[in-house]
Amino acid sequence: MKKISYLLLILFLGITACEGPTGPMGPAGPPGDDAGATQWWNIPIEIDRNGWELVGNAGETGSYYIAIVDIPELTEDIYFDGAIICYYRFNEGNTEVLTTLPYTYYDIIDDNGTESRVAVQYSYDVTPTTKAGNGTIALKLTFSDFQTGEFGPPEKAVFRLSLIY
């Protein structure tokens, strides 16, 4: 019975508790950082077959294709304190798709009647703008089995570079 009485008393106090008047305002806090709004730049990049340069010899172990693109919007501030994301853009059926790099896809290539499955990978490296010039993005294209010379780069590759600061 004693336990029930205590429970009823606590329940009664909880239901009938009232709120007092609001106290005085406390002291002002330190000023906040007025960094402003985040800025985004979406830069389309299209590279045709002639825009790629072969590094190494065709079919040589470790050979790949590279395309270096100047990006004037890429500052040291974005490079060191922002975010840089590169996407490969392609069509999957009737749908346009953006996928982040690095991206690997598999292709069946017909070489004089002999089909072979080849992995194709796009990746990228970025350097910031310096006093000497623009920032750049170096897009890389590698093939499995190092078949760089045999098949060559695609007719056109489309990318989107997103800079966030």
Side-chain angles (χ1 to χ4, degrees), residues 34-39 165:
D34 187 21
T38 300
Q39 297 178 356
Y165 185 73

Side-chain angles (χ1 to χ4, degrees), residues 48-104:
D48 64 11
R49 182 179 287 271
N50 297 325
W52 296 98
E53 179 184 337
L54 178 61
V55 176
N57 294 316
E60 179 180 56
T61 300
S63 63
Y64 58 92
Y65 289 98
I66 190 167
I68 299 175
V69 180
D70 284 340
I71 308 293
E73 298 88 349
L74 178 56
T75 64
E76 285 184 330
D77 287 337
I78 294 171
Y79 182 81
F80 289 108
D81 298 322
I84 302 165
I85 307 166
C86 193
Y87 302 89
Y88 175 58
R89 191 177 88 196
F90 61 98
N91 289 321
E92 186 71 43
N94 293 331
T95 306
E96 182 178 291
V97 178
L98 284 176
T99 186
T100 54
L101 297 185
Y103 174 66
T104 302

